[in-house]
Amino acid sequence: MFRNFKTVSRILYGRGGFAQLDQLTEEVRDDRLEGVAFVVDDVFKDIPVADRLPLRERDAVLWVNVDQEPSTETVDALATEIRARRMNPPAAVVGLGGGSVLDIAKAVSVMLTNPGSSADYQGWDLVRNPSVYHIGVPTLSGTGAEVSRTAVLIGPVRKLGINSDHSVFDQILLDPDLTITVPGEQWFYTGMDCYIHCVESLSGTYLNAFSRAYGEKSLELCREVFHGPRGPGSDEKLMIASLHGGMSIAYSQVGVCHALSYGLSYVLGLHHGIGNCVAFNCLEEFYPEGVAEFRDMCGKHGIVLPRGLVENLEESRLDRMTGIALSLDPLWENALGDNWRDRMPESRVRELYRRM
Ligand code: NAD
Ligand code: ZN
């Protein structure tokens, strides 16, 4: 059986396109004059972007801090706050920020029309009711969260996405100008998330012509971006690379690096981008060319990765990390094939972690 996957319905792309957010929200404000809920990364309190939000009476701006990766708790609290403001439900939810805020906005739009806690929907196709119309405005390129059907959340038991057709954005607005304020290291780490999506997708057993086409284009753009200096042209390319990388893994899967990185995030609180970089740097036996090129790009951008993060970690925490990594069957199956369990016993995962 082939998957019939849902994609973003509408895409507005272009430098300066943020000015058209007004028109996009205007189109969905309904007759009852319900407001729009803007979920905005609080980094924009100090960057002149939020003051350009097309606010109307009854709209709400909800600031979110993403120092910690998004959690089910944060999503539930935001949904409760929106309900308390008597936006029943809002005409739209707009997420403005990096992958964290985009995922929060997706999950909040789901929770405004579905009962219970967002933790109840971590998994695959558990969401029953259609979500509130939601618009994603990325301000950091690489995760592909703008096009994916998952909203990755740290829950009470594990880090796992709400994977649902209802979480896919109805509209995204891609304006490369919004990413120019991203600090250099963050730009690199999240950009490498995209590069690693491509390497894992293109070398996986799930690869097909659809994923290959998107993955190859994305990889080509990543190379143009990361083998040269950062500038306005590269911000534009990285935004499109992110979109293509996300499309590539939508119809294939990520691999060893992401499986290990999920464990690092959950136990050490390491963010996705840097966690991937730390893990990928130790995976030359799985991705020899990709890792060599990755190190070259690190050198070009003066990136020095943290080391010794797991070397001396207590056994119980290493157990937890290993358990989380090994629970992600499709990632391993994509990377290593049907008999992946034979090739990746627990002892091997622990040994890989100890190198980080
Ligand atoms: P992020 O959203 O966590 O942001 C990282 C940092 O960059 C934050 O401090 C943020 O405030 C800052 N920032 C964002 N935009 C900025 C701007 N324009 N100027 C200055 N600072 C800015 O980082 P991310 O790497 O984009 O997202 C990571 C999250 O995405 C993780 O939670 C991960 O699980 C998730 N993710 C989701 C998917 C998906 O398909 N849904 C895929 C990969 C990763
Ligand atoms: Zn990723």
Side-chain angles (χ1 to χ4, degrees):
M1 282 280 278
F2 297 106
R3 276 186 41 218
N4 182 16
F5 80 86
K6 177 145 189 268
T7 52
V8 169
S9 312
R10 310 191 71 144
I11 302 178
L12 188 152
Y13 168 75
R15 196 168 276 290
F18 187 62
Q20 280 174 255
L21 183 58
D22 191 10
Q23 173 199 327
L24 301 184
T25 47
E26 205 48 51
E27 282 167 13
V28 293
R29 290 176 191 278
D30 58 30
D31 298 339
R32 292 173 295 130
L33 299 176
E34 290 297 349
V36 170
F38 292 89
V39 178
V40 185
D41 188 321
D42 67 2
V43 76
F44 291 109
K45 283 184 175 170
D46 303 320
I47 298 175
V49 169
D51 58 350
R52 290 162 52 209
L53 288 173
L55 293 176
R56 302 273 188 281
E57 206 189 336
R58 305 198 60 176
D59 286 355
V61 178
L62 299 115
W63 297 104
V64 291
N65 182 279
V66 297
D67 289 349
Q68 310 290 327
E69 289 205 316
S71 67
T72 50
E73 238 174 286
T74 306
V75 167
D76 293 347
L78 284 167
T80 303
E81 188 179 339
I82 293 173
R83 279 193 212 99
R85 290 180 185 227
R86 300 190 186 284
M87 303 173 95
N88 288 323
V93 172
V94 177
L96 179 77
S100 295
V101 170
L102 296 182
D103 281 356
I104 291 172
K106 289 186 206 177
V108 166
S109 73
V110 162
M111 291 318 298
L112 290 170
T113 52
N114 286 276
S117 157
S118 50
D120 303 338
Y121 302 99
Q122 284 182 288
W124 282 268
D125 302 306
L126 302 173
V127 178
R128 289 281 163 82
N129 304 324
S131 51
V132 168
Y133 189 93
H134 50 302
I135 303 177
V137 188
T139 64
L140 173 54
S141 301
T143 64
E146 62 278 19
V147 283
S148 75
R149 74 195 284 273
T150 182
V152 184
L153 300 175
I154 306 259
V157 192
R158 53 191 173 160
K159 176 174 173 177
L160 181 65
I162 296 179
N163 294 272
S164 163
D165 284 354
H166 299 306
S167 48
V168 178
F169 282 114
D170 298 291
Q171 165 87 58
I172 55 175
L173 192 169
L174 306 178
D175 177 353
D177 274 353
L178 296 175
T179 65
I180 54 182
T181 49
V182 176
E185 282 194 353
Q186 186 65 57
W187 170 80
F188 185 84
Y189 292 140
T190 302
M192 281 301 117
D193 188 21
C194 179
Y195 175 79
I196 296 167
H197 289 161
C198 298
V199 171
E200 294 192 309
S201 172
L202 289 169
S203 61
T205 61
Y206 290 3
L207 188 63
N208 51 53
F210 183 101
S211 293
R212 183 190 294 281
Y214 280 107
E216 284 178 350
K217 188 67 207 177
S218 178
L219 194 62
E220 184 188 314
L221 289 166
C222 285
R223 288 184 169 140
E224 288 175 24
V225 169
F226 291 107
H227 285 299
R230 182 177 173 189
S234 61
D235 282 342
E236 224 162 277
K237 286 177 184 166
L238 191 54
M239 191 159 253
I240 297 307
S242 174
L243 183 89
H244 282 65
M247 288 298 286
S248 179
I249 50 176
Y251 228 138
S252 61
Q253 193 39 283
V254 284
V256 180
C257 177
H258 273 73
L260 296 175
S261 165
Y262 268 47
L264 286 176
S265 284
Y266 198 90
V267 176
L268 299 180
L270 218 56
H271 277 229
H272 186 75
I274 188 171
N276 279 345
C277 288
V278 167
F280 197 61
N281 196 32
C282 300
L283 296 177
E284 59 260 60
E285 68 209 78
F286 301 96
Y287 308 109
E289 288 162 17
V291 173
E293 184 173 34
F294 165 75
R295 288 182 183 151
D296 181 34
M297 294 186 291
C298 284
K300 283 183 171 140
H301 292 278
I303 298 292
V304 180
L305 293 171
R307 298 204 73 115
L309 294 172
V310 186
E311 227 176 345
N312 300 312
L313 197 72
E314 310 89 270
E315 286 296 315
S316 59
R317 296 179 78 200
L318 182 58
D319 283 349
R320 184 90 190 94
M321 224 180 236
T322 305
I324 286 171
L326 282 173
S327 71
L328 299 163
D329 295 39
L331 282 64
W332 295 106
E333 191 181 84
N334 176 46
L336 305 175
D338 285 343
N339 61 345
W340 67 268
R341 283 192 190 273
D342 301 335
R343 292 182 61 194
M344 196 49 66
E346 213 178 289
S347 56
R348 186 86 199 285
V349 175
R350 296 170 70 87
E351 186 248 321
L352 288 171
Y353 271 134
R354 285 292 188 208
R355 293 184 202 168
M356 296 174 198

